[in-house]
Structure formats: structure tokens, C-alpha cells
Amino acid sequence: MSNDLCTPEGARRLKARIEAYWAERGYDVSVDLVEAGFMPAMRSARTDVRSNLVNGMPTRPANDTGRERRTA
């Protein structure tokens, strides 16, 4: 198992870990994988992991209807 989180496989593992971590704590986070293609500076292709986390924290709980704003 590779520790490279920029590969498609590593990015998928990281996505699953982030979603599982916050789901266990009652938060529904959105994590997307973006294929960045070949990067000459890295001399390889990379996959970016993007989420709706703000400063590493979810914006609202999974059961939040939007009426009541709570912070993590």
C-alpha cells in the first residue's frame, strides 16, 4: 500500500477516510476528487482532494436543516 495521496488510488483512500471520520461524528461532508493531469513540476499526474471543510472543520451537522447555525 502506497502512502502517496496524490495518486488516484491514494486520493480515493483519503476521501473515504475523511468522509468516514466526519460521519462517525455526525457530520455530512462533501469530498470530491479532481484529476489535475500531468504536472511538469511534479513530473507526474496528480489527483486533488477537495472538500467543503472550512479550516479543516465541517460547516454544519448532517441533520442540520439550515434554520439553526451551529459550529463544530
Side-chain angles (χ1 to χ4, degrees), residues 55-71:
N55 293 325
M57 299 297 290
T59 54
R60 60 183 195 197
N63 60 355
D64 191 0
T65 60
R67 284 183 253 137
E68 179 183 318
R69 298 298 287 172
R70 297 184 303 199
T71 58

Side-chain angles (χ1 to χ4, degrees), residues 28-45:
D28 184 23
V29 299
S30 172
V31 180
D32 298 313
L33 302 179
V34 179
E35 298 292 329
F38 183 79
M39 305 302 291
M42 291 176 55
R43 297 178 56 154
S44 66

Side-chain angles (χ1 to χ4, degrees), residues 8-48:
E9 178 187 330
R12 281 191 294 274
R13 286 194 320 265
L14 181 58
K15 176 185 187 304
R17 288 180 63 191
I18 292 169
E19 290 172 337
Y21 177 88
W22 287 111
E24 289 174 6
R25 288 154 181 79
Y27 293 91
D28 184 23
V29 299
S30 172
V31 180
D32 298 313
L33 302 179
V34 179
E35 298 292 329
F38 183 79
M39 305 302 291
M42 291 176 55
R43 297 178 56 154
S44 66
R46 75 165 200 247
T47 302
D48 294 340

